[in-house]
Amino acid sequence: TPRHATPSIPSRSAPARKPGNVLEEARTRLHVSSIPESLPCREQEFQDIYNFVESKVIDGTGGCMYISGVPGTGKTATVHEVIRSLQQSAEQDEIPHFHFIEINGMKMTDPHQAYVQILQKLTDQKATPDHAAALLEKRFGAPAPKKETTVLLVDELDLLWTRKQNVMYNLFDWPTRRNARLVVLTIANTMDLPERIMINRVASRLGLTRMSFQPYTFKQLQQIITSRLNRLKAFEEDALQLVSRKVAALSGDARRCLDICRRATEICEHSGSQKNGSGLVGMSHVMEALDEMFSSSYIAAIRCASVQEQLFLRAVIAEFRRLGLEEATFQQVFVQHQALCRVEGLQPVSVSEGLAVCQRLGSCRLLLLEGSRLDLFLRIRLNVSQDDVLYALKAD
Amino acid sequence: MTRAPDVTREQRGQTKRMSVRLQCPGYPEDTLRSLADRLPCRDTQLETLLQLMGQPDQYSYPSIFIYGHRATGKSHVVLSVMKDLELPHASVDCVECVSSGLLFHQVLSAFFGPDAAALLPRCPSLSDFVRLYKQMSSNSPATQTRYIILDRAERLRDMDFSLLPALLRLQELVSDNVTVILLSEIVWEKFRPNTGCFEPLLFHFPDYSKAELVQILSWDHHPSYTPELYASYINILLGVFFSVCRDLRELRHLAVLNFSKFCEPLEKGEAKESDIHKLWKNIEPHLQRAMQTVYLREVSSVQWEQQQMDEEAATTLRVLSAHAHIELPYYSKFLLIAAYLASFNPARTDRRFFLKSHGKIRKTNFLKKHEKTSNHLLGPKPFPLDRMMAIFYSVVDSRVAPTASIFSQISSLVTLQLLSQVGHDDQLDSPKYKCSVSLDFILAISRTVGFDVVKYLYDFL
């Protein structure tokens, strides 16, 4: 490929700006990328993983661990923290030295690239996937007295799935070798991934050392935000509580929680310029941010649609009612549409215009449509519930 | 009935057309005038097209979609505008482009020469094309609008799904003064991708009316006769053919084929040019016959012309559809008859037709409602092999052993496409077939073996 066809990230010319006021300061601290030194509310999990890896490193044996949990529960951050503190104690010669490697299934074009990346990070060697697999096999299989333990972190494990599952098999088989001295920590989102997608011989090699990260409760979320803000007075207590309760009720995702807080600071800043309040992020700002994040845009889209588009949606619902089905052809809906046009006192539209209206609604996914080649016979279904459509149409 | 021609009307149309004056700044006026003369009956379309294009250095609309029936002069008008005004254009027929790479290659070589097209990688993607186009157009920026003309654009829908939306906003993508003109017989509604796209400007080319067809067809009159004679000939021709055919190309082809027959009385001295009625009487049955033979391509044009030379009656010529007779082995014929009977008779009437001691069963009493409608209208029904063999043994009088040759004859009937296998899930165990021959064919076959099919067909009871 030509050189100018490869994408790249533009480099930053000026250094990042220092935060000017309290809200900006709060915003940098609440950014997802600024991970704190120690994660609050994950002490138990931290200790478990720490003990597991430490014991393997001290004994010079190998093993696997499977870590699961919904997104935003701090799995990767906790493992990184474990490794960091293990590396510190290794520097102080409390435990033997070890080698840490991290691979991410999402960053690979092909599952077999995992071999290549592991080999490159271990030995700075470049090889084809097959060759790399053979080299790794030799390295982990052969006895070597002065070998140090390798800790391998596999993030997004489910993307390493292949039809024969040989990549997963090898990853879990190497630690069971006598001379391998390999500790594999795997992270995925679902708890039952080994049972669901792995064949028996892979799942049994993964072993039973499992850990699941529970979603954060609202108290934990509140604690995370307060610990991040670190006595910076930017939020009202009630506002924080509202955010954490809302997020905990829906997903328990810490990243989502931080995003909402950041957005609320922005809203506060904008509104603060007009009328000078307390300078803190209050209830109303948080409510607005929550609304932006959680409310569905479909209703807004229907409200902003043109007259004919709204009429067409009404025709769709009228036709569904008549048929008693959740599906109708364009021809059927169009007859209703024309009748509605007459009732409303509008000029009835032509078939082309009607189809254009229908396809515009389909392209913004308010309707689910078949291919446009079928014209009159293309089947229409609603992508939103009928109640939502009726609510949106009734309001005006 | 056809009517005698009216010559004066299209002459009036011609004089009216000459008075139209095309005005479009930026283009040489005499070229425009000659262009308008060369494109009869397309004045408004030509004018609209020129207005859409604007002056050569102005930005035109990003994409124009031109649609209309076959032979309404879509590509002819667009291409002759491009050629006569010497505008930079790439004309691509989408049928030729089996992959999008060929399309990109043709466009780049038309705009920037073959060297630029050679820079494309082996399987070029859309981004390769856009990148190369940008690179080339920054070297030689457009002084005039560049036009990409995509004929038979309906094929674009079957190519890469991002190709059509990208071409529609190519002007934006390559940031160059380029306009894409799509030509198609299909309306735009059938093109629109489900994810939406930039809407092109729709532009319809209407069909030619009868008067316009007369005017266009009388354009190429024979040099040895007067234009008035040719115009009256065209009028007679349209009187016969206009109700079935409005395709200019087809009519023109027919006009050329039959003109020599029209002139025959003149050459022989039996009639004068003014005896339109006599000429009409002479040619009319001939044209009626042409509609049944040469128009359906049952007789090729060469045969038709030869036959006119030889003064042979047209009916003596064996037409293509009469050749539908195949020599088959004896048992294959019976197999085919059995298959036809199995396909077009309801299974519950088999007892009545093929068993010797059947009871007296009336036609209407025991059949379901859908079986009462004519089976020949509904088409052949699938039947299992067992049923066909049972009928076969019943219709063949002699004792036939079910040898390998009988079964191989069934499969060779399938390869000859006289039978067709339904549901390819099972090849050996009880396969199902359908009979795909017409009634005429099976009547001819059964006549050769002396078997009366009609007696055994439920529809003709």
Side-chain angles (χ1 to χ4, degrees):
Chain A
T1 46
R3 197 186 309 132
H4 41 265
T6 43
S8 63
I9 299 171
S11 57
R12 178 183 291 192
S13 53
R17 226 153 40 86
K18 280 266 185 290
N21 57 13
V22 182
L23 287 175
E24 275 182 35
E25 171 76 31
R27 214 150 42 227
T28 44
R29 288 194 195 178
L30 287 172
H31 198 277
V32 183
S33 68
S34 63
I35 300 169
E37 283 297 301
S38 75
L39 286 176
C41 315
R42 286 288 179 232
E43 290 82 14
Q44 185 59 48
E45 284 85 356
F46 173 83
Q47 203 55 49
D48 285 353
I49 300 172
Y50 189 90
N51 289 346
F52 176 80
V53 180
E54 190 191 28
S55 67
K56 300 289 181 205
V57 170
I58 290 173
D59 295 350
T61 55
C64 292
M65 186 175 202
Y66 177 71
I67 300 166
S68 64
V70 291
T73 47
K75 301 179 293 292
T76 312
T78 309
V79 172
H80 279 173
E81 201 189 329
V82 167
I83 299 296
R84 217 164 34 235
S85 51
L86 277 172
Q87 273 166 341
Q88 270 174 11
S89 46
E91 272 169 25
Q92 290 158 8
D93 286 328
E94 287 164 14
I95 57 166
H97 276 269
F98 66 93
H99 203 117
F100 175 64
I101 301 171
E102 183 184 1
I103 59 170
N104 191 331
M106 196 84 95
K107 288 183 189 164
M108 281 172 224
T109 49
D110 180 79
H112 295 280
Q113 286 293 320
Y115 298 133
V116 180
Q117 289 195 10
I118 294 172
L119 188 74
Q120 196 173 16
K121 284 176 178 162
L122 267 179
T123 61
D124 280 336
Q125 239 178 318
K126 269 195 170 180
T128 60
D130 286 343
H131 189 211
L135 287 175
L136 287 172
E137 179 78 39
K138 210 156 97 191
R139 186 187 164 94
F140 290 125
K146 281 195 278 180
K147 193 153 64 175
E148 44 176 46
T149 306
T150 312
V151 178
L152 175 63
L153 169 62
V154 185
D155 216 340
E156 314 282 353
L157 177 73
D158 38 354
L159 292 171
L160 291 183
W161 187 87
T162 52
R163 238 169 65 80
K164 287 169 85 179
Q165 305 198 357
N166 46 358
V167 178
M168 282 187 180
Y169 177 80
N170 278 334
L171 280 180
F172 302 144
D173 189 43
W174 290 330
T176 61
R177 307 282 173 79
R178 195 137 61 95
N179 305 306
R181 291 188 150 210
L182 176 67
V183 181
V184 179
L185 302 171
T186 56
I187 298 180
N189 281 343
T190 46
M191 199 154 64
D192 59 343
L193 188 78
E195 284 74 30
R196 214 153 33 84
I197 67 167
M198 294 183 201
I199 51 180
N200 284 336
R201 71 192 153 97
V202 177
S204 76
R205 275 175 175 76
L206 173 59
L208 294 170
T209 322
R210 305 214 185 148
M211 163 169 294
S212 78
F213 278 59
Q214 297 302 321
Y216 290 113
T217 61
F218 86 92
K219 284 218 170 100
Q220 287 171 327
L221 285 175
Q222 209 171 345
Q223 198 182 336
I224 289 169
I225 302 170
T226 18
S227 80
R228 284 229 175 188
L229 287 174
N230 194 17
R231 290 201 293 283
L232 192 72
K233 193 64 188 151
F235 276 86
E236 284 175 17
E237 275 306 310
D238 291 346
L240 275 190
Q241 190 158 355
L242 178 69
V243 175
S244 39
R245 275 189 190 270
K246 270 270 189 198
V247 174
L250 279 168
S251 60
D253 187 340
R255 285 183 288 213
R256 176 60 72 93
C257 194
L258 294 173
D259 283 344
I260 293 169
C261 289
R262 277 165 54 79
R263 177 70 193 137
T265 57
E266 280 172 12
I267 294 170
C268 176
E269 211 165 37
H270 283 295
S271 64
S273 59
Q274 282 138 24
K275 53 175 198 299
N276 210 349
S278 59
L280 292 183
V281 180
M283 254 333 210
S284 57
H285 306 132
V286 168
M287 286 288 273
E288 206 178 325
L290 281 170
D291 260 7
E292 272 179 28
M293 290 283 204
F294 286 119
S295 71
S296 120
S297 52
Y298 284 120
I299 291 176
I302 295 173
R303 278 196 189 146
C304 300
S306 69
V307 173
Q308 289 293 347
E309 283 167 347
Q310 290 184 344
L311 217 55
F312 193 84
L313 283 173
R314 274 170 61 189
V316 168
I317 288 180
E319 189 60 27
F320 285 176
R321 293 252 166 96
R322 190 181 73 82
L323 293 171
L325 294 172
E326 290 287 289
E327 190 177 85
T329 63
F330 172 75
Q331 199 174 10
Q332 293 167 324
V333 175
F334 184 68
V335 172
Q336 291 280 356
H337 187 193
Q338 283 203 315
L340 276 177
C341 278
R342 291 206 183 86
V343 169
E344 297 284 324
L346 297 167
Q347 182 75 31
V349 294
S350 68
V351 180
S352 298
E353 288 164 329
L355 207 54
V357 165
C358 173
Q359 282 168 341
R360 205 157 48 240
L361 289 171
S363 65
C364 55
R365 305 299 285 169
L366 284 169
L367 298 177
L368 295 175
L369 301 178
E370 289 181 300
S372 58
R373 280 177 214 212
L374 295 166
D375 51 14
L376 282 183
F377 300 102
L378 72 82
R379 284 200 289 271
I380 297 173
R381 293 169 69 179
L382 274 176
N383 197 22
V384 276
S385 77
Q386 290 194 18
D387 296 335
D388 282 0
V389 178
L390 287 176
Y391 170 71
L393 291 176
K394 201 189 283 175
D396 54 72
Chain B
M1 281 299 286
T2 48
R3 302 184 68 201
D6 173 17
V7 192
T8 50
R9 199 172 51 198
E10 84 267 5
Q11 275 179 337
R12 245 185 282 128
Q14 212 158 351
T15 48
K16 191 179 148 231
R17 201 179 61 74
M18 288 308 224
S19 65
V20 172
R21 174 62 47 85
L22 260 175
Q23 290 200 331
C24 201
Y27 299 105
E29 207 159 295
D30 46 340
T31 322
L32 282 182
R33 203 172 306 125
S34 76
L35 196 61
D37 289 343
R38 274 185 42 222
L39 302 170
C41 312
R42 280 289 171 248
D43 303 313
T44 49
Q45 280 77 27
L46 185 61
E47 213 177 323
T48 319
L49 188 66
L50 285 171
Q51 276 167 3
L52 286 180
M53 284 159 53
Q55 289 179 30
D57 54 334
Q58 288 173 338
Y59 266 65
S60 174
Y61 205 75
S63 46
I64 301 169
F65 181 84
I66 300 178
Y67 64 107
H69 279 151
R70 176 170 304 170
T72 45
K74 301 182 292 294
S75 37
H76 180 60
V77 168
V78 173
L79 285 176
S80 32
V81 165
M82 294 296 152
K83 275 196 192 111
D84 285 18
L85 299 178
E86 288 168 351
L87 299 170
H89 69 279
S91 149
V92 183
D93 193 338
C94 294
V95 176
E96 290 169 16
C97 300
V98 286
S99 71
S100 50
L102 289 170
L103 195 152
F104 301 151
H105 195 277
Q106 285 191 34
V107 170
L108 283 181
S109 64
F111 285 160
F112 308 109
D115 296 343
L119 288 174
L120 277 173
R122 236 157 71 116
C123 291
S125 65
L126 188 64
S127 64
D128 283 326
F129 170 66
V130 170
R131 175 175 57 79
L132 261 178
Y133 191 106
K134 265 179 148 166
Q135 200 180 323
M136 290 295 153
S137 66
S138 66
N139 291 343
S140 55
T143 49
Q144 293 179 315
T145 312
R146 293 184 172 121
Y147 295 94
I148 300 176
I149 298 148
L150 299 168
D151 207 348
R152 282 183 267 194
E154 58 269 8
R155 295 293 178 118
L156 289 175
R157 304 177 298 172
D158 301 323
M159 286 150 93
D160 190 13
F161 71 95
S162 60
L163 184 63
L164 181 62
L167 284 174
L168 288 175
R169 56 194 327 157
L170 193 67
Q171 195 175 81
E172 213 171 302
L173 277 175
V174 298
S175 49
D176 183 45
N177 189 0
V178 63
T179 292
V180 177
I181 300 178
L182 302 163
L183 305 172
S184 179
E185 291 171 25
I186 298 177
V187 287
W188 169 245
E189 279 74 54
K190 290 193 168 234
F191 276 75
R192 204 177 281 133
N194 262 358
T195 44
C197 62
F198 182 85
E199 293 284 309
L201 212 61
L202 305 186
F203 184 17
H204 181 233
F205 270 51
D207 283 349
Y208 293 116
S209 68
K210 193 169 180 180
E212 283 172 338
L213 280 175
V214 169
Q215 188 186 331
I216 295 166
L217 285 171
S218 346
W219 202 258
D220 40 16
H221 61 85
H222 208 272
S224 47
Y225 298 100
T226 55
E228 288 76 28
L229 180 81
Y230 196 78
S232 59
Y233 164 65
I234 292 300
N235 256 317
I236 294 169
L237 187 87
L238 282 183
V240 175
F241 281 103
F242 188 69
S243 54
V244 292
C245 177
R246 280 149 208 223
D247 188 338
L248 180 64
R249 274 181 283 185
E250 195 77 34
L251 287 171
R252 200 169 183 179
H253 175 66
L254 287 166
V256 170
L257 272 188
N258 295 309
F259 187 62
S260 59
K261 181 81 181 171
F262 180 75
C263 301
E264 230 169 48
L266 297 176
E267 281 170 12
K268 285 179 185 162
E270 292 168 1
K272 286 199 293 285
E273 283 200 10
S274 52
D275 309 346
I276 296 297
H277 192 74
K278 202 166 187 181
L279 289 171
W280 173 66
K281 272 222 145 158
N282 176 47
I283 194 72
E284 213 260 326
H286 185 75
L287 289 179
Q288 291 284 3
R289 208 159 50 230
M291 185 158 22
Q292 281 150 24
T293 52
V294 70
Y295 178 60
L296 299 174
R297 302 285 190 274
E298 296 200 322
V299 168
S300 73
S301 312
V302 179
Q303 278 174 319
W304 185 253
E305 273 176 344
Q306 264 177 359
Q307 176 203 322
Q308 283 176 346
M309 302 268 205
D310 301 348
E311 304 272 327
E312 197 182 345
T315 40
T316 55
L317 236 150
R318 277 194 64 178
V319 293
L320 204 61
S321 64
H323 284 290
H325 175 74
I326 304 175
E327 279 303 324
L328 285 174
Y330 185 68
Y331 286 129
S332 287
K333 286 179 183 169
F334 274 109
L335 282 171
L336 200 58
I337 290 168
Y340 190 84
L341 291 173
S343 234
F344 286 95
N345 277 352
R348 28 168 89 205
T349 59
D350 283 356
R351 235 167 76 84
R352 180 215 181 292
F353 283 124
F354 302 112
L355 238 57
K356 287 219 168 64
S357 57
H358 61 82
K360 199 115 170 114
I361 309 169
R362 288 180 59 95
K363 183 177 178 178
T364 47
N365 283 349
F366 68 107
L367 284 175
K368 286 180 192 157
K369 198 180 174 203
H370 70 269
E371 285 170 339
K372 282 180 191 161
T373 51
S374 171
N375 288 308
H376 279 85
L377 283 181
L378 298 173
K381 289 192 185 52
F383 54 85
L385 179 66
D386 302 342
R387 185 169 163 229
M388 174 181 152
M389 290 314 285
I391 297 178
F392 172 67
Y393 287 124
S394 152
V395 293
V396 175
D397 287 332
S398 56
R399 280 182 64 86
V400 193
T403 53
S405 113
I406 294 289
F407 287 103
S408 68
Q409 280 181 37
I410 296 175
S411 63
S412 52
L413 284 177
V414 174
T415 34
L416 286 172
Q417 299 187 340
L418 298 172
L419 296 186
S420 59
Q421 200 169 1
V422 209
H424 293 275
D425 45 346
D426 206 345
Q427 291 288 328
L428 286 178
D429 190 24
S430 73
K432 286 192 154 189
Y433 297 99
K434 249 183 187 182
C435 187
S436 44
V437 298
S438 64
L439 181 63
D440 296 331
F441 187 90
I442 209 78
L443 283 175
I445 290 273
S446 58
R447 213 171 294 126
T448 59
V449 292
F451 180 82
D452 188 9
V453 193
V454 179
K455 223 169 76 185
Y456 288 90
L457 276 173
Y458 180 73
D459 282 346
F460 301 103
L461 216 59

